């Protein structure tokens, strides 16, 4: 059973609808996306004071490197943030990466990749692959690649493309409540939706159309569940029982039984990047996985 804090927060999100509004189709959807461009969230002054935060750009997009300031480095991660392929990184992403640096000594590189509707899936994956090619020479050293939600999907699309090109691969992959099939048409999802305090089916459909643009929803660039998963690095994956995307994680686990998969009953979408008791335990698992695979 989820902790009392997890249950209370999920109940609050359900009552206010504050998150589901962002991921619901309708007249305000495009307005919400446009508003998110104006009020983007980045590492704040407190984080910059505590940690070694460096900002750079690649082809016009910001790249953040978040590292511990006063402790040894325990591992490296290349991380793609979630947001339904339409929303930029938010405060919870930066706090998660800050915790990984401050508590576990993990250095993270977080590219702010192109989003829909300004960019299509083909354009986003193309940009991500260009960055990946620059990131992976020997100077980068061993690393793990990860992502949450849509970022987990992009992580999967990138590693599949990198493998197809014969490029150096990460030593491991971390998929956090990944969005791997953007069609959101699994028969289990309508029954899960009333319990999901973050996502809605119609909202994910709307975001998927904006992202896929001219590509079929089943194209591996858009829905990497249907791509080639052979010969990829070890994977650590998380899912939540009250998340409409959990059928994606279950489908990948069925396809690849060797994946180290942790599903928590009653937990919301993206719970492993929060500040809950369950989240901190998952983050410790991630840190151990990164440490084993990137040093």
């Amino acid at each position: 059973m989820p902790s009392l804090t997890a249950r209370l927060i999920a109940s609050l999100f359900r009552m206010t609808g504050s998150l589901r509004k962002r991921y619901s189709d309708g007249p305000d959807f495009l307005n919400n996306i446009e508003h998110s461009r104006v009020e983007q969230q980045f590492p704040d002054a407190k984080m910059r004071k505590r940690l070694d935060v460096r900002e750079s750009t690649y082809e016009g997009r910001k790249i953040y490197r978040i590292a511990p300031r006063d402790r040894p480095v325990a591992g490296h991660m290349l991380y793609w943030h979630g947001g339904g392929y339409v929303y930029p990184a938010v405060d919870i992403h930066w706090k998660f990466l800050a915790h990984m640096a401050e508590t576990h000594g993990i250095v993270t590189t977080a590219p702010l990749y192109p989003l829909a509707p300004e960019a299509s899936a083909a354009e986003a994956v193309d940009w991500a692959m260009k960055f990946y090619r620059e990131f992976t020479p020997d100077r980068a050293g061993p690393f793990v690649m990860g992502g949450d939600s849509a970022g987990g999907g992009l992580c999967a699309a990138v590693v599949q493309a990198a493998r197809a090109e014969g490029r150096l691969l990460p030593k491991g992959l971390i998929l956090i409540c990944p969005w791997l099939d953007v069609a959101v048409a699994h028969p289990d999802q309508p029954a899960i939706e009333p319990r999901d305090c973050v996502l809605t089916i119609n909202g994910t459909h709307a975001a998927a159309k904006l992202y896929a643009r001219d590509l079929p929803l089943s194209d591996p660039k858009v829905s990497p569940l249907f791509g080639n998963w052979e010969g990829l690095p070890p994977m650590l994956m998380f899912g939540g029982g009250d998340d409409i995307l959990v059928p994606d994680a279950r489908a990948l686990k069925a396809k690849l039984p060797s994946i180290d998969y942790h599903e928590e009953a009653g937990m919301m979408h993206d719970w492993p990047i929060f500040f809950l008791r369950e989240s901190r335990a998952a983050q410790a698992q991630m840190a151990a996985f990164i440490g084993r695979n990137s040093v």
Side-chain angles (χ1 to χ4, degrees):
M1 177 182 291
S3 64
L4 177 60
T5 303
R7 284 178 280 150
L8 288 173
I9 289 176
S11 295
L12 179 63
F13 286 159
R14 274 192 289 269
M15 283 191 301
T16 63
S18 57
L19 294 179
R20 286 169 64 95
K21 288 175 185 175
R22 285 168 55 88
Y23 293 100
S24 295
D25 193 16
D28 291 331
F29 186 51
L30 289 177
N31 289 335
N32 289 337
I33 294 172
E34 184 178 357
H35 187 260
S36 74
R37 304 295 188 267
V38 177
E39 295 195 355
Q40 288 195 52
Q41 298 173 340
F42 303 105
D44 60 21
K46 290 182 179 179
M47 188 186 304
R48 292 171 186 270
K49 185 176 181 179
R50 300 194 323 264
L51 298 166
D52 180 5
V53 178
R54 303 181 188 182
E55 180 182 330
S56 60
T57 59
Y58 179 76
E59 293 199 346
R61 310 292 305 180
K62 290 186 178 182
I63 313 295
Y64 284 95
R65 181 182 183 274
I66 300 172
R69 188 182 292 279
D70 299 315
R71 60 165 295 155
V73 170
H76 295 76
M77 175 169 63
L78 173 60
Y79 192 81
W80 308 95
H81 70 82
Y85 295 116
V86 296
Y87 289 117
V90 294
D91 190 53
I92 194 68
H93 292 110
W94 302 122
K95 286 182 176 176
F96 160 59
L97 299 180
H99 178 82
M100 294 297 288
E102 196 165 36
T103 302
H104 299 292
I106 304 302
V107 177
T108 300
T109 299
L112 303 190
Y113 56 92
L115 301 170
E118 297 91 340
S120 66
E123 292 165 331
V125 174
D126 180 64
W127 185 95
M129 276 303 300
K130 287 180 181 178
F131 179 79
Y132 185 90
R133 294 182 195 110
E134 293 289 326
F135 181 81
T136 52
D138 290 342
R139 62 179 177 81
F143 67 99
V144 165
M145 185 161 66
D148 69 280
S149 192
L154 183 59
C155 173
V158 167
V159 77
Q160 289 175 5
R163 192 253 350 268
E165 290 185 5
R167 303 226 163 241
L168 175 71
L169 297 183
K171 295 298 185 182
L173 300 174
I174 297 176
L175 304 178
I176 301 169
C177 300
W179 194 15
L180 301 175
D181 177 2
V182 302
V184 191
H186 192 280
D188 290 347
Q189 287 168 321
I192 298 171
E193 186 180 29
R195 306 195 307 270
D196 193 319
C197 63
V198 179
L199 302 174
T200 68
I201 291 175
N202 67 359
T204 52
H205 286 169
K209 289 177 182 178
L210 292 176
Y211 184 62
R213 202 174 293 180
D214 298 327
L215 291 175
L217 297 185
S218 59
D219 188 291
K221 284 187 177 180
V222 184
S223 294
L225 182 64
F226 306 114
N228 182 356
W229 290 85
E230 294 181 3
L232 296 182
M235 301 180 206
L236 174 63
M237 182 169 66
F238 297 90
D242 287 358
D243 175 6
I244 60 171
L245 300 188
V246 75
D248 290 11
R250 293 170 180 169
L252 184 58
K253 174 64 175 177
K255 187 189 291 273
L256 296 175
S258 63
I259 292 178
D260 186 4
Y261 176 49
H262 301 267
E263 181 179 318
E264 292 287 340
M267 294 301 290
M268 69 184 80
H269 177 64
D270 255 2
W271 63 270
I273 72 169
F274 278 66
F275 50 84
L276 305 166
R277 181 191 70 197
E278 296 91 342
S279 311
R280 296 308 190 210
Q283 289 156 20
Q285 286 179 281
M286 294 181 216
F289 180 83
I290 295 168
R292 289 195 303 271
N293 290 288
S294 67
V295 293

